[in-house]
Amino acid sequence: MKYKMMINLRLFEDGGQGGDGGQGSAGAGGSGQRGSAGYTFEQAEEIANSRAEKASRAALADFYRKQGLSESEITTAIAEFKAKQAANKPNTDAMQREIEGYKQQIAQMENEKLLSTKGVKAEDMDYVLFKVNKLVDDKTDFKKAAEKFLKENQRFIGTSSYRISTGTGTQDTGSGGSMNSSINDAIRSAARR
């Protein structure tokens, strides 16, 4: 036996009025809506998912019936199948959160590297990073905010590099009168700071 499928096309005018030529809705269930159908995307998706769920359940039930299972066993088998299917489905929300966490870590490392190249001392890095991040907005990126903050707060830039000459000098400086003792004195005074 062959089934004919009738497609009911409606022509809509500019005013939103439409007619079906005096024919009723045709198709499986005959639950078509006359006139302009005002479904939102969410409603259409819900309808499609519901129908797909029913079709999936019917196919599974038919398969299990052919295997000789009773109705209660079919219900149990379908529930087990759905549980296994849900367990195997990847958790995209958790993966997205993990990706966002990695992006934040990368951005923080890049920001720390930028601050390090600008001369921020290691012991002040967390504080400066915190303060510069507060200055970042839609108009100011991290680099500009860092330049502004460090220009106003020079004390966080490590400029305390010591120059020690190991060559022989002609001057007698320091307590012992030799170059070696003056170097030792410079190291001791730097360690006391």
Side-chain angles (χ1 to χ4, degrees):
M1 181 189 267
K2 292 185 177 180
Y3 293 100
K4 289 186 178 181
M5 187 170 158
M6 296 179 62
I7 299 175
N8 186 11
L9 299 175
R10 295 184 182 122
L11 300 174
F12 293 96
E13 298 173 355
D14 289 342
Q17 303 278 339
D20 58 358
Q23 299 176 2
S25 297
S31 61
Q33 195 173 12
R34 294 179 187 252
S36 63
Y39 290 110
T40 63
F41 176 76
E42 290 81 16
Q43 290 171 329
E45 186 177 27
E46 184 178 325
I47 291 168
N49 288 338
S50 173
R51 288 185 182 173
E53 178 70 25
K54 288 177 185 176
S56 173
R57 181 165 180 17
L60 287 170
D62 185 47
F63 171 75
Y64 289 132
R65 273 191 204 99
K66 287 180 182 176
Q67 300 297 320
L69 275 74
S70 68
E71 289 300 317
S72 64
E73 292 173 328
I74 290 172
T75 305
T76 305
I78 290 173
E80 288 175 4
F81 174 78
K82 300 246 185 230
K84 287 180 182 177
Q85 190 178 29
N88 290 333
K89 184 178 179 183
N91 187 348
T92 56
D93 292 336
M95 288 190 299
Q96 190 64 31
R97 285 191 300 271
E98 188 175 1
I99 289 170
E100 290 301 319
Y102 289 137
K103 285 180 180 178
Q104 289 176 353
Q105 286 177 351
I106 290 170
Q108 181 171 349
M109 287 190 304
E110 289 173 350
N111 293 343
E112 286 177 359
K113 183 179 178 182
L114 175 75
L115 291 176
S116 178
T117 59
K118 296 217 179 266
V120 174
K121 295 181 268 185
E123 60 267 9
D124 296 329
M125 185 66 71
D126 289 336
Y127 178 75
V128 173
L129 192 63
F130 172 76
K131 292 302 257 182
V132 172
N133 276 327
K134 285 193 162 262
L135 297 174
V136 174
D137 58 16
D138 294 338
K139 297 177 183 176
T140 309
D141 66 347
F142 187 86
K143 185 176 181 178
K144 290 180 184 175
E147 289 171 358
K148 179 182 176 188
F149 179 80
L150 293 175
K151 185 177 181 181
E152 295 171 359
N153 299 289
Q154 299 263 335
R155 66 183 177 272
F156 296 112
I157 299 174
T159 57
S160 59
S161 61
Y162 298 102
R163 284 188 239 161
I164 299 174
S165 172
T166 57
T168 58
T170 57
Q171 301 177 9
D172 275 346
T173 58
S175 61
S178 72
M179 184 57 109
N180 195 18
S181 62
S182 66
I183 292 173
N184 288 338
D185 290 341
I187 292 172
R188 286 186 194 107
S189 66
R192 287 185 208 126
R193 290 185 196 175

PDB file of all heavy atoms in Angstrom, residues 3-35:
ATOM      1  N   TYR A   3       1.435   5.284   0.446  1.00  0.00           N
ATOM      2  CA  TYR A   3       0.865   6.453   1.133  1.00  0.00           C
ATOM      3  C   TYR A   3       1.233   7.698   0.353  1.00  0.00           C
ATOM      4  O   TYR A   3       2.362   7.855  -0.099  1.00  0.00           O
ATOM      5  CB  TYR A   3       1.441   6.570   2.552  1.00  0.00           C
ATOM      6  CG  TYR A   3       1.010   5.459   3.460  1.00  0.00           C
ATOM      7  CD1 TYR A   3       1.844   4.394   3.715  1.00  0.00           C
ATOM      8  CD2 TYR A   3      -0.235   5.491   4.057  1.00  0.00           C
ATOM      9  CE1 TYR A   3       1.461   3.371   4.549  1.00  0.00           C
ATOM     10  CE2 TYR A   3      -0.629   4.469   4.897  1.00  0.00           C
ATOM     11  CZ  TYR A   3       0.217   3.408   5.135  1.00  0.00           C
ATOM     12  OH  TYR A   3      -0.165   2.405   5.970  1.00  0.00           O
ATOM     13  N   LYS A   4       0.273   8.532   0.210  1.00  0.00           N
ATOM     14  CA  LYS A   4       0.539   9.813  -0.445  1.00  0.00           C
ATOM     15  C   LYS A   4       0.690  10.865   0.643  1.00  0.00           C
ATOM     16  O   LYS A   4      -0.077  10.908   1.578  1.00  0.00           O
ATOM     17  CB  LYS A   4      -0.610  10.197  -1.374  1.00  0.00           C
ATOM     18  CG  LYS A   4      -0.690   9.337  -2.603  1.00  0.00           C
ATOM     19  CD  LYS A   4      -1.755   9.873  -3.512  1.00  0.00           C
ATOM     20  CE  LYS A   4      -1.826   9.051  -4.776  1.00  0.00           C
ATOM     21  NZ  LYS A   4      -2.832   9.549  -5.685  1.00  0.00           N
ATOM     22  N   MET A   5       1.657  11.669   0.447  1.00  0.00           N
ATOM     23  CA  MET A   5       1.881  12.744   1.411  1.00  0.00           C
ATOM     24  C   MET A   5       1.480  14.046   0.745  1.00  0.00           C
ATOM     25  O   MET A   5       1.961  14.378  -0.326  1.00  0.00           O
ATOM     26  CB  MET A   5       3.356  12.794   1.798  1.00  0.00           C
ATOM     27  CG  MET A   5       3.651  13.742   2.873  1.00  0.00           C
ATOM     28  SD  MET A   5       5.343  13.419   3.376  1.00  0.00           S
ATOM     29  CE  MET A   5       5.739  14.917   4.105  1.00  0.00           C
ATOM     30  N   MET A   6       0.592  14.725   1.374  1.00  0.00           N
ATOM     31  CA  MET A   6       0.135  16.001   0.817  1.00  0.00           C
ATOM     32  C   MET A   6       0.845  17.128   1.531  1.00  0.00           C
ATOM     33  O   MET A   6       0.977  17.124   2.740  1.00  0.00           O
ATOM     34  CB  MET A   6      -1.380  16.132   0.987  1.00  0.00           C
ATOM     35  CG  MET A   6      -2.154  15.096   0.205  1.00  0.00           C
ATOM     36  SD  MET A   6      -3.912  15.260   0.432  1.00  0.00           S
ATOM     37  CE  MET A   6      -4.205  16.862  -0.200  1.00  0.00           C
ATOM     38  N   ILE A   7       1.318  18.046   0.774  1.00  0.00           N
ATOM     39  CA  ILE A   7       1.978  19.213   1.346  1.00  0.00           C
ATOM     40  C   ILE A   7       1.037  20.386   1.199  1.00  0.00           C
ATOM     41  O   ILE A   7       0.558  20.686   0.111  1.00  0.00           O
ATOM     42  CB  ILE A   7       3.310  19.493   0.632  1.00  0.00           C
ATOM     43  CG1 ILE A   7       4.235  18.282   0.796  1.00  0.00           C
ATOM     44  CG2 ILE A   7       3.951  20.735   1.193  1.00  0.00           C
ATOM     45  CD1 ILE A   7       5.517  18.413   0.028  1.00  0.00           C
ATOM     46  N   ASN A   8       0.773  21.021   2.283  1.00  0.00           N
ATOM     47  CA  ASN A   8      -0.139  22.143   2.303  1.00  0.00           C
ATOM     48  C   ASN A   8       0.678  23.426   2.315  1.00  0.00           C
ATOM     49  O   ASN A   8       1.274  23.786   3.313  1.00  0.00           O
ATOM     50  CB  ASN A   8      -1.035  22.056   3.540  1.00  0.00           C
ATOM     51  CG  ASN A   8      -2.103  23.115   3.561  1.00  0.00           C
ATOM     52  OD1 ASN A   8      -2.316  23.792   2.559  1.00  0.00           O
ATOM     53  ND2 ASN A   8      -2.788  23.256   4.680  1.00  0.00           N
ATOM     54  N   LEU A   9       0.744  24.096   1.193  1.00  0.00           N
ATOM     55  CA  LEU A   9       1.467  25.353   1.092  1.00  0.00           C
ATOM     56  C   LEU A   9       0.483  26.496   1.224  1.00  0.00           C
ATOM     57  O   LEU A   9      -0.573  26.498   0.619  1.00  0.00           O
ATOM     58  CB  LEU A   9       2.208  25.452  -0.240  1.00  0.00           C
ATOM     59  CG  LEU A   9       3.252  24.378  -0.490  1.00  0.00           C
ATOM     60  CD1 LEU A   9       3.810  24.547  -1.892  1.00  0.00           C
ATOM     61  CD2 LEU A   9       4.362  24.495   0.521  1.00  0.00           C
ATOM     62  N   ARG A  10       0.843  27.447   1.995  1.00  0.00           N
ATOM     63  CA  ARG A  10      -0.014  28.614   2.164  1.00  0.00           C
ATOM     64  C   ARG A  10       0.719  29.827   1.649  1.00  0.00           C
ATOM     65  O   ARG A  10       1.902  30.017   1.899  1.00  0.00           O
ATOM     66  CB  ARG A  10      -0.333  28.814   3.648  1.00  0.00           C
ATOM     67  CG  ARG A  10      -1.150  27.688   4.209  1.00  0.00           C
ATOM     68  CD  ARG A  10      -1.508  27.988   5.645  1.00  0.00           C
ATOM     69  NE  ARG A  10      -2.254  26.884   6.176  1.00  0.00           N
ATOM     70  CZ  ARG A  10      -1.908  26.190   7.225  1.00  0.00           C
ATOM     71  NH1 ARG A  10      -0.842  26.516   7.898  1.00  0.00           N
ATOM     72  NH2 ARG A  10      -2.638  25.194   7.638  1.00  0.00           N
ATOM     73  N   LEU A  11       0.011  30.658   0.973  1.00  0.00           N
ATOM     74  CA  LEU A  11       0.576  31.901   0.474  1.00  0.00           C
ATOM     75  C   LEU A  11       0.127  33.018   1.394  1.00  0.00           C
ATOM     76  O   LEU A  11      -1.058  33.171   1.681  1.00  0.00           O
ATOM     77  CB  LEU A  11       0.119  32.166  -0.956  1.00  0.00           C
ATOM     78  CG  LEU A  11       0.501  31.083  -1.968  1.00  0.00           C
ATOM     79  CD1 LEU A  11      -0.138  31.401  -3.319  1.00  0.00           C
ATOM     80  CD2 LEU A  11       1.996  31.010  -2.105  1.00  0.00           C
ATOM     81  N   PHE A  12       1.042  33.788   1.860  1.00  0.00           N
ATOM     82  CA  PHE A  12       0.734  34.870   2.774  1.00  0.00           C
ATOM     83  C   PHE A  12       0.910  36.188   2.044  1.00  0.00           C
ATOM     84  O   PHE A  12       1.909  36.400   1.362  1.00  0.00           O
ATOM     85  CB  PHE A  12       1.659  34.821   3.996  1.00  0.00           C
ATOM     86  CG  PHE A  12       1.429  33.622   4.847  1.00  0.00           C
ATOM     87  CD1 PHE A  12       2.210  32.482   4.710  1.00  0.00           C
ATOM     88  CD2 PHE A  12       0.404  33.614   5.771  1.00  0.00           C
ATOM     89  CE1 PHE A  12       1.990  31.382   5.482  1.00  0.00           C
ATOM     90  CE2 PHE A  12       0.186  32.517   6.563  1.00  0.00           C
ATOM     91  CZ  PHE A  12       0.969  31.391   6.421  1.00  0.00           C
ATOM     92  N   GLU A  13      -0.054  37.044   2.253  1.00  0.00           N
ATOM     93  CA  GLU A  13       0.021  38.360   1.664  1.00  0.00           C
ATOM     94  C   GLU A  13       0.782  39.270   2.601  1.00  0.00           C
ATOM     95  O   GLU A  13       1.157  38.889   3.694  1.00  0.00           O
ATOM     96  CB  GLU A  13      -1.404  38.891   1.436  1.00  0.00           C
ATOM     97  CG  GLU A  13      -2.194  38.028   0.471  1.00  0.00           C
ATOM     98  CD  GLU A  13      -3.658  38.464   0.399  1.00  0.00           C
ATOM     99  OE1 GLU A  13      -4.058  39.355   1.163  1.00  0.00           O
ATOM    100  OE2 GLU A  13      -4.380  37.899  -0.417  1.00  0.00           O
ATOM    101  N   ASP A  14       0.999  40.497   2.183  1.00  0.00           N
ATOM    102  CA  ASP A  14       1.741  41.434   3.013  1.00  0.00           C
ATOM    103  C   ASP A  14       1.073  41.670   4.362  1.00  0.00           C
ATOM    104  O   ASP A  14       1.740  41.925   5.350  1.00  0.00           O
ATOM    105  CB  ASP A  14       1.916  42.774   2.292  1.00  0.00           C
ATOM    106  CG  ASP A  14       2.901  42.650   1.146  1.00  0.00           C
ATOM    107  OD1 ASP A  14       3.680  41.674   1.135  1.00  0.00           O
ATOM    108  OD2 ASP A  14       2.895  43.534   0.275  1.00  0.00           O
ATOM    109  N   GLY A  15      -0.227  41.580   4.444  1.00  0.00           N
ATOM    110  CA  GLY A  15      -0.936  41.852   5.686  1.00  0.00           C
ATOM    111  C   GLY A  15      -0.881  40.703   6.665  1.00  0.00           C
ATOM    112  O   GLY A  15      -1.404  40.789   7.753  1.00  0.00           O
ATOM    113  N   GLY A  16      -0.248  39.608   6.321  1.00  0.00           N
ATOM    114  CA  GLY A  16      -0.164  38.491   7.237  1.00  0.00           C
ATOM    115  C   GLY A  16      -1.357  37.562   7.119  1.00  0.00           C
ATOM    116  O   GLY A  16      -1.447  36.566   7.800  1.00  0.00           O
ATOM    117  N   GLN A  17      -2.307  37.856   6.267  1.00  0.00           N
ATOM    118  CA  GLN A  17      -3.473  37.012   6.070  1.00  0.00           C
ATOM    119  C   GLN A  17      -3.092  35.891   5.122  1.00  0.00           C
ATOM    120  O   GLN A  17      -2.349  36.086   4.188  1.00  0.00           O
ATOM    121  CB  GLN A  17      -4.619  37.823   5.450  1.00  0.00           C
ATOM    122  CG  GLN A  17      -5.020  39.026   6.257  1.00  0.00           C
ATOM    123  CD  GLN A  17      -5.960  38.673   7.379  1.00  0.00           C
ATOM    124  OE1 GLN A  17      -6.601  37.651   7.346  1.00  0.00           O
ATOM    125  NE2 GLN A  17      -6.030  39.532   8.378  1.00  0.00           N
ATOM    126  N   GLY A  18      -3.607  34.760   5.333  1.00  0.00           N
ATOM    127  CA  GLY A  18      -3.301  33.657   4.437  1.00  0.00           C
ATOM    128  C   GLY A  18      -4.493  32.736   4.358  1.00  0.00           C
ATOM    129  O   GLY A  18      -5.327  32.675   5.234  1.00  0.00           O
ATOM    130  N   GLY A  19      -4.555  32.028   3.322  1.00  0.00           N
ATOM    131  CA  GLY A  19      -5.650  31.086   3.172  1.00  0.00           C
ATOM    132  C   GLY A  19      -5.111  29.746   2.768  1.00  0.00           C
ATOM    133  O   GLY A  19      -4.026  29.629   2.239  1.00  0.00           O
ATOM    134  N   ASP A  20      -5.915  28.711   3.034  1.00  0.00           N
ATOM    135  CA  ASP A  20      -5.453  27.401   2.654  1.00  0.00           C
ATOM    136  C   ASP A  20      -6.306  26.843   1.521  1.00  0.00           C
ATOM    137  O   ASP A  20      -6.340  25.638   1.311  1.00  0.00           O
ATOM    138  CB  ASP A  20      -5.445  26.469   3.856  1.00  0.00           C
ATOM    139  CG  ASP A  20      -6.800  26.330   4.526  1.00  0.00           C
ATOM    140  OD1 ASP A  20      -7.760  26.983   4.082  1.00  0.00           O
ATOM    141  OD2 ASP A  20      -6.890  25.573   5.474  1.00  0.00           O
ATOM    142  N   GLY A  21      -6.988  27.692   0.822  1.00  0.00           N
ATOM    143  CA  GLY A  21      -7.751  27.265  -0.334  1.00  0.00           C
ATOM    144  C   GLY A  21      -8.915  26.372   0.022  1.00  0.00           C
ATOM    145  O   GLY A  21      -9.324  25.556  -0.779  1.00  0.00           O
ATOM    146  N   GLY A  22      -9.417  26.481   1.234  1.00  0.00           N
ATOM    147  CA  GLY A  22     -10.555  25.680   1.634  1.00  0.00           C
ATOM    148  C   GLY A  22     -10.177  24.275   2.056  1.00  0.00           C
ATOM    149  O   GLY A  22     -11.035  23.494   2.401  1.00  0.00           O
ATOM    150  N   GLN A  23      -8.916  23.937   2.039  1.00  0.00           N
ATOM    151  CA  GLN A  23      -8.492  22.606   2.431  1.00  0.00           C
ATOM    152  C   GLN A  23      -8.069  22.618   3.890  1.00  0.00           C
ATOM    153  O   GLN A  23      -7.500  23.573   4.378  1.00  0.00           O
ATOM    154  CB  GLN A  23      -7.316  22.141   1.570  1.00  0.00           C
ATOM    155  CG  GLN A  23      -7.638  22.063   0.103  1.00  0.00           C
ATOM    156  CD  GLN A  23      -6.402  21.680  -0.693  1.00  0.00           C
ATOM    157  OE1 GLN A  23      -5.355  21.441  -0.133  1.00  0.00           O
ATOM    158  NE2 GLN A  23      -6.555  21.625  -2.000  1.00  0.00           N
ATOM    159  N   GLY A  24      -8.292  21.550   4.556  1.00  0.00           N
ATOM    160  CA  GLY A  24      -7.848  21.432   5.939  1.00  0.00           C
ATOM    161  C   GLY A  24      -6.386  21.036   5.966  1.00  0.00           C
ATOM    162  O   GLY A  24      -5.774  20.794   4.938  1.00  0.00           O
ATOM    163  N   SER A  25      -5.854  20.952   7.135  1.00  0.00           N
ATOM    164  CA  SER A  25      -4.451  20.553   7.275  1.00  0.00           C
ATOM    165  C   SER A  25      -4.344  19.067   6.995  1.00  0.00           C
ATOM    166  O   SER A  25      -5.143  18.273   7.446  1.00  0.00           O
ATOM    167  CB  SER A  25      -3.952  20.832   8.681  1.00  0.00           C
ATOM    168  OG  SER A  25      -3.997  22.210   8.918  1.00  0.00           O
ATOM    169  N   ALA A  26      -3.323  18.713   6.272  1.00  0.00           N
ATOM    170  CA  ALA A  26      -3.095  17.310   5.978  1.00  0.00           C
ATOM    171  C   ALA A  26      -1.779  16.898   6.575  1.00  0.00           C
ATOM    172  O   ALA A  26      -0.884  17.687   6.740  1.00  0.00           O
ATOM    173  CB  ALA A  26      -3.073  17.093   4.474  1.00  0.00           C
ATOM    174  N   GLY A  27      -1.618  15.661   6.889  1.00  0.00           N
ATOM    175  CA  GLY A  27      -0.357  15.175   7.408  1.00  0.00           C
ATOM    176  C   GLY A  27      -0.601  14.242   8.565  1.00  0.00           C
ATOM    177  O   GLY A  27      -1.730  13.846   8.844  1.00  0.00           O
ATOM    178  N   ALA A  28       0.475  13.867   9.222  1.00  0.00           N
ATOM    179  CA  ALA A  28       0.338  12.904  10.303  1.00  0.00           C
ATOM    180  C   ALA A  28      -0.395  13.524  11.468  1.00  0.00           C
ATOM    181  O   ALA A  28      -0.274  14.179  11.968  1.00  0.00           O
ATOM    182  CB  ALA A  28       1.739  12.481  10.743  1.00  0.00           C
ATOM    183  N   GLY A  29      -1.302  13.369  12.025  1.00  0.00           N
ATOM    184  CA  GLY A  29      -1.901  13.986  13.181  1.00  0.00           C
ATOM    185  C   GLY A  29      -2.868  15.095  12.836  1.00  0.00           C
ATOM    186  O   GLY A  29      -3.730  15.401  13.608  1.00  0.00           O
ATOM    187  N   GLY A  30      -2.777  15.749  11.715  1.00  0.00           N
ATOM    188  CA  GLY A  30      -3.692  16.812  11.301  1.00  0.00           C
ATOM    189  C   GLY A  30      -3.777  17.946  12.285  1.00  0.00           C
ATOM    190  O   GLY A  30      -4.831  18.543  12.435  1.00  0.00           O
ATOM    191  N   SER A  31      -2.696  18.264  12.958  1.00  0.00           N
ATOM    192  CA  SER A  31      -2.754  19.320  13.959  1.00  0.00           C
ATOM    193  C   SER A  31      -2.114  20.594  13.449  1.00  0.00           C
ATOM    194  O   SER A  31      -1.531  21.339  14.204  1.00  0.00           O
ATOM    195  CB  SER A  31      -2.065  18.857  15.251  1.00  0.00           C
ATOM    196  OG  SER A  31      -0.708  18.572  14.969  1.00  0.00           O
ATOM    197  N   GLY A  32      -2.199  20.836  12.166  1.00  0.00           N
ATOM    198  CA  GLY A  32      -1.627  22.055  11.592  1.00  0.00           C
ATOM    199  C   GLY A  32      -2.393  23.267  12.067  1.00  0.00           C
ATOM    200  O   GLY A  32      -3.558  23.190  12.408  1.00  0.00           O
ATOM    201  N   GLN A  33      -1.777  24.398  12.054  1.00  0.00           N
ATOM    202  CA  GLN A  33      -2.401  25.618  12.524  1.00  0.00           C
ATOM    203  C   GLN A  33      -2.769  26.460  11.312  1.00  0.00           C
ATOM    204  O   GLN A  33      -1.982  26.637  10.405  1.00  0.00           O
ATOM    205  CB  GLN A  33      -1.413  26.356  13.422  1.00  0.00           C
ATOM    206  CG  GLN A  33      -2.048  27.426  14.249  1.00  0.00           C
ATOM    207  CD  GLN A  33      -1.034  27.988  15.237  1.00  0.00           C
ATOM    208  OE1 GLN A  33       0.148  27.747  15.152  1.00  0.00           O
ATOM    209  NE2 GLN A  33      -1.536  28.756  16.178  1.00  0.00           N
ATOM    210  N   ARG A  34      -3.964  26.966  11.306  1.00  0.00           N
ATOM    211  CA  ARG A  34      -4.417  27.787  10.179  1.00  0.00           C
ATOM    212  C   ARG A  34      -3.970  29.223  10.383  1.00  0.00           C
ATOM    213  O   ARG A  34      -3.802  29.670  11.493  1.00  0.00           O
ATOM    214  CB  ARG A  34      -5.939  27.747  10.068  1.00  0.00           C
ATOM    215  CG  ARG A  34      -6.454  26.382   9.720  1.00  0.00           C
ATOM    216  CD  ARG A  34      -7.974  26.448   9.655  1.00  0.00           C
ATOM    217  NE  ARG A  34      -8.499  25.112   9.491  1.00  0.00           N
ATOM    218  CZ  ARG A  34      -9.024  24.664   8.370  1.00  0.00           C
ATOM    219  NH1 ARG A  34      -9.106  25.427   7.326  1.00  0.00           N
ATOM    220  NH2 ARG A  34      -9.488  23.442   8.301  1.00  0.00           N
ATOM    221  N   GLY A  35      -3.830  29.949   9.277  1.00  0.00           N
ATOM    222  CA  GLY A  35      -3.439  31.348   9.375  1.00  0.00           C
ATOM    223  C   GLY A  35      -1.937  31.450   9.577  1.00  0.00           C
ATOM    224  O   GLY A  35      -1.190  30.534   9.312  1.00  0.00           O
TER     225      GLY A  35
END
